[in-house]
Structures are given as C-alpha cells and as structure tokens.
Amino acid sequence: MKPQLEQTEFWVGAFHGSHDGTTATVTATRDDTRPQPFVWTCTCGASRSFPTEQGVWPTAWRHTHPTRFDRLWSWAARRLRTARR
C-alpha cells in the first residue's frame, strides 16, 4: 500500500522487512521543495532526510534489514530503558 503523497512528492521506492520484532515498510520519496529532497519514512514512525539519493537506499535497507550488531544495539537500548523505569 502506497502512502498518500503530497502534490510535490514523488514515490521512488519501498523496502519491506522487520525490526524490533515487528513488520516494517519504509517508503522513499523525493520532494524538490524541501532543503533535503530525499527522505524515507517507516511505518514505525522513524524517518531520515538526505541531500542526495545515495544516502537513502543503504539506510532504508538497513532499517528494515538490521545487522546482528543493530539488533544487539536495539536490544541493549530497550533493556536500558526498562531498567531506568
């Protein structure tokens, strides 16, 4: 399912995967009216902006397909948040 795009946005790709134990979809768009025209947005609420297209693809892929180190880092961060409560 493609998200609703604004009139100035162009859909350039999507990545499907998972992170933090849930299914995730990242949508990459381009909007030439923004200072950093390339952006990806995840169904989890995370997003990042980039000045060129080269930064979008690897970070969007890694967000939906985390490495073992990424998963370990995420696990440790969740443990620390839980321990501080």
Side-chain angles (χ1 to χ4, degrees):
M1 180 173 94
K2 284 203 284 188
Q4 286 293 97
L5 300 177
E6 294 192 27
Q7 193 171 6
T8 57
E9 292 180 319
F10 298 98
W11 182 75
V12 293
F15 299 89
H16 302 278
S18 64
H19 58 79
D20 295 335
T22 61
T23 302
T25 301
V26 171
T27 305
T29 58
R30 186 185 88 213
D31 184 350
D32 291 334
T33 63
R34 296 169 48 102
Q36 293 189 323
F38 294 94
V39 64
W40 61 254
T41 307
C42 184
T43 53
C44 74
S47 67
R48 288 192 56 196
S49 299
F50 300 90
T52 65
E53 188 175 355
Q54 285 75 29
V56 172
W57 306 116
T59 58
W61 176 263
R62 190 168 175 181
H63 185 73
T64 55
H65 298 84
T67 64
R68 287 184 181 175
F69 178 76
D70 294 332
R71 288 192 301 268
L72 177 63
W73 187 261
S74 178
W75 174 82
R78 282 193 309 273
R79 296 284 300 211
L80 284 173
R81 281 193 303 266
T82 303
R84 289 182 183 172
R85 289 181 187 183

